Amino acid sequence: MPRLVVISNRVAVPTGDGSSRAGGLEVAVRATLKRHSGVWFGWSGKVAANRKATTQTIEHENHSYVVTDLTEEDYQEYYNGFANRVLWPILHYRLDLAEFSRRDLSGYLRVNEHFAAELHRILKPDDLVWVHDYHLIPLAKALRERGHANRIGFFLHIPLPPPDILTALPNHERLIPALCHYDLVGLQTDNDAANLGRYLTGECRLSSRDQRTFNAADRVVRIDTFPVGIEAAEFGRLARRAVRSPFVQEVRESLAGRAMIIGVDRLDYSKGIALRMDAFERFLAAYPDWHGRVTYLQITPKSRSEIQEYGEMEQEISATAGRINGSYGEASWTPIRYVNKAHSRTALAGLYRSSRAALVTPLRDGMNLVAKEYVAAQDPSDPGVLVLSRFAGAAVELAAAVLVNPYDSEAVAAAIARALSMPLDERRARHETLSRALAANDIKLWADKFLDALVRPRSAPNWLRPVSSLAIS
Ligand code: F6P
C-alpha cells in the first residue's frame, strides 16, 4: 500500500490529554489512520495574527500531522464565508440561508491554492491522496495544475442535493465540475451519488451508461457510495466500561429513577434542535402521564459562533428550552437539561447506554454518527430506542429505528411516546437488526472499500465516449 496522504480542513492533532475534538470526519479519519501510516494535512485551527501563516509538522506514532495556519482574511472568507455561509447551507438544502459574495469565493479558492502549494512540497509521486469534505472541492485541480498525477480521491461527508438546488449556487459551473479532477468521488448515500450523477450528465454533459463512471476530458472519474461507519465493537466496549465511571454514575443518580432521553448534536441549524424541542413539548402536552417520569438531556456544543445564523439559533434554542421548563417543570423536576459543554467520547458512550431513547432528528444530514454510536452503546438485553430522522444518511442502513419526519412535530411527539413504552421484545428485535447493519459496515470496511476503489486500474470502459463540448474548469 503506498503512503496515504489525508487532507481535510480540520486535523485532529493528538493533544496527549485525549481532548482532541471528535466530529464525524475526525472520528472516521482517525480510525483510518490507525491502520494506514501516513500524513494528515490541513488547517492548524489557528488564525495567524500578522498575515504570516506558518506550516508545522508534528510526528506522532508513525504519522505526520502537517498543519498550516490561516490568516484572518482566509478564516473569514474561506471558512466562515464560502465554506460555511454558502456551501454548508446549500448542500444541506437551505438556499434561504446562503449568503454569497465573490470575495468569499476568491478567499476559498485562495486557501485551496495555499493548501496545494504546501502539499506540493511534501507529495511523492506514488502517494495515495484522499481529500475530505466541502472545504476542499477544488484541491485536486490545484494539485493537477502543479503536475501531480497521483491517484486522488474525494469524500463528501455531507449531503449532495439535486441539480435544481446545486445550480442555485452562484458560480457552480466553476466549482462543481472541478470534482472531475479527482479519480474517485465518494458520497454517503445512493441518493447523493445519483444527484451528482445527474449534475454531471445534465450540466456538464459528461457521458455515462451507469451514472457512476464518467469520461471527463483527460480522465475517467468514478462516483460511488461509501456510507461512513463507526468502530462499532470498540464503541460498545467503551460504553460498557463508561457506565461505571463516576461521571455517568452521578448523572444516573441525579435522574432519581426517571427515564432519560438523549440528544447530542453540534449547535447547527441542520440538526433540527429547536423543532425537536417543540416535539418534546407536544409530547409533554399530549402524554401527561410522563410528567415527572422522563428527563430529556440535550448536549449541544457551540459551533461556528461567529456566523450570525448560529448566534441567533443559540438564543432561540436556549429560549425554547427555558420556556418548556418554565411551563412544565416542577421544583423537583426539570424536563429538559440543555448543556452546551462538549463531552468526551467516553462520557457520551456511558450516557447513550444509560438512555431509554435517543432523538436524532436532523433536517438533513450526510450520515450522522451519533445515531450509529447510540446503537453500538446499547445493552443488547435491554436496549434503548433510536428515533431517527428519515433525512439523515444513517436512515438508509438503520431503517429498523423508529423513523420520523423531523418537520412533523406531532409525529415526533408520538414517536417519543412509542419509544418510551416500547415492549422489550420489540426493542431487542429492532436492536439486533440495527447491530447487524453496524457490523456489516464497520469503519474499517469504509476506508478499505474507498481505498481499494481508488487504487483500482483507471482505464475507461469502452462504451465511454470522449467529451467534446465541455472543458472541465
Ligand atoms: O462533517 C462535516 C463537518 O463540517 C466536518 O468537515 C467538520 O470537521 C465538522 O463538520 C465540524 O465542523 P467545523 O470544523 O466547522 O467545526
Side-chain angles (χ1 to χ4, degrees), residues 5-259:
V5 177
V6 173
I7 304 149
S8 60
N9 176 59
R10 294 271 181 192
V11 177
V13 179
T15 53
D17 61 2
S19 68
S20 54
R21 300 157 29 91
L25 181 154
E26 285 127 302
V27 170
V29 172
R30 222 184 298 153
T32 303
L33 284 175
K34 274 189 197 166
R35 306 174 63 241
H36 303 274
S37 68
V39 179
W40 190 351
F41 177 93
W43 176 34
S44 63
K46 293 193 198 113
V47 177
N50 50 6
R51 298 176 67 97
K52 274 215 182 108
T54 55
T55 299
Q56 233 195 321
T57 302
I58 299 141
E59 301 291 344
H60 184 85
E61 291 176 358
N62 276 339
H63 301 305
S64 305
Y65 298 81
V66 184
V67 288
T68 184
D69 302 339
L70 296 181
T71 66
E72 178 62 31
E73 231 177 7
D74 293 340
Y75 174 65
Q76 293 304 346
E77 295 171 7
Y78 150 81
Y79 177 74
N80 277 335
F82 196 73
N84 286 326
R85 265 204 306 260
V86 180
L87 288 176
W88 180 269
I90 291 180
L91 296 180
H92 283 87
Y93 297 61
R94 292 297 302 269
L95 288 176
D96 57 318
L97 296 179
E99 288 172 57
F100 176 79
S101 86
R102 277 177 200 284
R103 194 169 157 171
D104 289 346
L105 174 59
S106 64
Y108 176 84
L109 297 171
R110 184 179 65 243
V111 170
N112 273 269
E113 289 292 329
H114 169 59
F115 274 30
E118 292 296 320
L119 284 160
H120 184 61
R121 299 170 200 257
I122 57 171
L123 272 188
K124 298 180 187 156
D126 57 352
D127 283 343
L128 205 52
V129 181
W130 191 358
V131 179
H132 291 259
D133 239 355
Y134 58 100
H135 313 83
L136 302 172
I137 292 170
L139 188 63
K141 177 172 184 270
L143 290 170
R144 303 284 184 220
E145 284 165 0
R146 285 166 176 77
H148 296 285
N150 305 51
R151 291 293 172 91
I152 311 182
F154 178 83
F155 186 79
L156 185 68
H157 290 253
I158 67 174
L160 192 114
D164 274 355
I165 292 181
L166 213 48
T167 49
L169 167 68
N171 290 283
H172 67 90
E173 63 282 15
R174 235 179 121 186
L175 191 70
I176 308 300
L179 285 171
C180 296
H181 292 272
Y182 291 93
D183 297 290
L184 176 66
V185 176
L187 298 129
Q188 297 274 26
T189 66
D190 287 343
N191 190 36
D192 299 320
N195 287 339
L196 179 58
R198 284 195 286 138
Y199 180 94
L200 295 179
T201 314
E203 292 295 316
C204 305
R205 300 191 299 282
L206 301 191
S207 61
S208 173
R209 188 183 290 168
D210 61 356
Q211 290 291 297
R212 292 287 162 124
T213 312
F214 294 83
N215 197 13
D218 57 350
R219 100 181 35 258
V220 170
V221 56
R222 272 173 300 135
I223 62 179
D224 213 339
T225 307
F226 303 90
V228 176
I230 59 164
E231 295 175 295
E234 288 88 335
F235 200 81
R237 280 195 289 277
L238 180 66
R240 277 205 297 280
R241 279 200 309 275
V243 276
R244 295 194 295 269
S245 72
F247 166 74
V248 176
Q249 285 298 326
E250 196 184 333
V251 175
R252 287 165 78 116
E253 276 158 28
S254 74
L255 294 170
R258 295 184 185 100

